[in-house]
Amino acid sequence: DGGITQSPKYLFRKEGQNVTLSCEQNLNHDAMYWYRQDPGQGLRLIYYSQIVNDFQKGDIAEGYSVSREKKESFPLTVTSAQKNPTAFYLCASSTIQAQKTQYFGPGTRLLVL
Amino acid sequence: QKEVEQNSGPLSVPEGAIASLNCTYSDRVSQSFFWYRQYSGKSPELIMSIYSNGDKEDGRFTAQLNKASQYVSLLIRDSQPSDSATYLCAVNRWDSGYALNFGKGTSLLVTP
């Protein structure tokens, strides 16, 4: 089955700890995105990447970092500099041709201990 | 920051009725528009995409786009209790790798 996988489903972070959220896709999509969703809010863009070894900051990149070493993978690290990390994190991917429809993974819920 | 606006609801309709969901956007250069359905605790699921002015139908769903008025809507015919969810309107951003700008969503409740 083609699709996007995210792991873990739930993640608990202690104060001062960096944590990494995994996102993998086998759709052969070039572009990948990370969004954050807070309760009752729309999704906000954290980082995006249109090609391997290149990525750009989105609207709320502070306290986050990413890498794009493989086309299939776009992990997100939530650093200790992110003071309010509790949220639902969503990874998406799309082609860079046509209308660029984005498809989402199942999400990771991050909670602070 | 370009805006996408939706009424938060909840919008309550009886089973079998037509549900009408509306969205306005501020960026006139936007070209691609999407409706996603999100069940509580789950990720968004694509329902419809629309790129040209007019109507686009897919089963019980019809998306309507009016670029002059910067308005996009979603009609759900013969609403079912399983349609109860939050519906997110999204618009492509040409300035951020075609990432999506999302509205905050409209909560739809279909009552039996």
Side-chain angles (χ1 to χ4, degrees):
Chain A
D1 283 340
I4 304 172
T5 58
Q6 291 186 243
S7 62
K9 185 174 181 179
Y10 295 96
L11 186 56
F12 298 92
R13 193 191 90 164
K14 296 179 181 178
E15 291 286 341
Q17 185 182 37
N18 293 352
V19 293
T20 298
L21 285 61
S22 170
C23 177
E24 304 275 337
Q25 54 97 1
N26 61 4
L27 300 169
N28 199 32
H29 285 168
D30 291 293
M32 298 186 74
Y33 307 84
W34 275 104
Y35 296 90
R36 166 180 172 148
Q37 187 176 33
D38 295 281
Q41 301 295 316
L43 281 68
R44 292 183 291 167
L45 181 66
I46 304 173
Y47 267 97
Y48 63 96
S49 169
Q50 292 185 284
I51 195 169
V52 174
N53 292 322
D54 186 56
F55 48 83
Q56 305 296 329
K57 292 182 179 179
D59 302 316
I60 55 165
E62 185 174 353
Y64 300 97
S65 65
V66 294
S67 63
R68 187 87 186 275
E69 298 177 1
K70 299 186 300 181
K71 185 177 183 177
E72 302 78 18
S73 178
F74 192 40
L76 173 74
T77 297
V78 184
T79 74
S80 57
Q82 173 50 243
K83 298 307 180 186
N84 185 22
T86 297
F88 190 35
Y89 290 86
L90 291 156
C91 178
S93 71
S94 72
T95 64
I96 56 173
Q97 292 85 24
Q99 279 74 28
K100 308 170 184 61
T101 301
Q102 286 186 26
Y103 299 94
F104 285 84
T108 292
R109 197 165 298 277
L110 177 60
L111 301 167
V112 177
L113 293 176
Chain B
Q1 175 71 30
K2 303 300 183 181
E3 301 291 335
V4 178
E5 301 287 345
Q6 297 180 254
N7 289 327
S8 61
L11 173 65
S12 183
V13 300
E15 184 174 356
I18 296 175
S20 178
L21 304 164
N22 305 313
C23 172
T24 59
Y25 60 95
S26 62
D27 189 353
R28 287 192 168 273
V29 302
S30 297
Q31 295 296 318
S32 302
F33 307 86
F34 306 90
W35 284 99
Y36 288 86
R37 177 174 64 197
Q38 188 175 28
Y39 292 112
S40 181
K42 302 296 185 181
S43 66
E45 171 193 9
L46 181 70
I47 297 297
M48 291 283 289
S49 58
I50 187 165
Y51 316 111
S52 303
N53 279 329
D55 295 358
K56 179 182 178 182
E57 185 174 321
D58 184 359
R60 295 187 295 113
F61 299 96
T62 299
Q64 300 173 316
L65 175 61
N66 183 326
K67 290 185 179 181
S69 300
Q70 295 176 244
Y71 177 90
V72 58
S73 65
L74 179 70
L75 300 177
I76 307 174
R77 290 181 299 280
D78 188 23
S79 295
Q80 301 297 310
S82 59
D83 294 326
S84 299
T86 297
Y87 289 80
L88 302 172
C89 175
V91 178
N92 268 136
R93 299 170 57 168
W94 60 270
D95 62 342
S96 299
Y98 295 95
L100 295 174
N101 252 351
F102 283 86
K104 294 182 179 180
T106 298
S107 176
L108 174 66
L109 177 63
V110 181
T111 55

